[in-house]
Amino acid sequence: MSRRAKVLVTRIAIIVALLAIWEILARFFVDKTFISPPSVVVMSYGRLFSHAGIANAMLTLLVELGCAFCLAVVIGTAIALAIASTDFSRR
């Protein structure tokens, strides 16, 4: 097995282990009003997305996230160029 495949298998195993720990803790040790098991969360997706308002809210969220990302890139690039163009920062 290649190194890349071992890393991928390890990452997947870690995610599965964390989900299993979350499931066990949420089912048997933690109050249900505090945290829900991942299986309950996944099973509720169908009911959640059956409401028309959720799709509109998700679309709005994605547009807002895209705008915020673009603004962050533009402003961050401008600040980085301003900082990099001074003699003080080059030294």
Side-chain angles (χ1 to χ4, degrees):
M1 185 182 299
S2 70
R3 185 176 190 286
R4 180 176 276 183
K6 287 179 184 179
V7 169
L8 179 65
V9 168
T10 303
R11 288 178 181 173
I12 291 172
I14 289 171
I15 291 170
V16 168
L18 288 174
L19 284 172
I21 291 168
W22 176 11
E23 182 77 31
I24 292 167
L25 289 175
R27 286 219 180 257
F28 303 111
F29 299 106
V30 180
D31 184 18
K32 301 285 190 265
T33 57
F34 179 68
I35 190 169
S36 296
S39 59
V40 173
V41 173
V42 171
M43 297 302 286
S44 67
Y45 282 161
R47 207 171 359 122
L48 177 68
F49 289 111
S50 66
H51 300 285
I54 296 295
N56 293 334
M58 293 294 285
L59 180 61
T60 303
L61 172 74
L62 290 175
V63 169
E64 290 173 350
L65 280 173
C67 291
F69 179 76
C70 291
L71 280 171
V73 167
V74 169
I75 293 170
T77 302
I79 291 172
L81 288 173
I83 290 172
S85 65
T86 63
D87 285 335
F88 179 74
S89 65
R90 274 187 252 140
R91 284 186 264 140

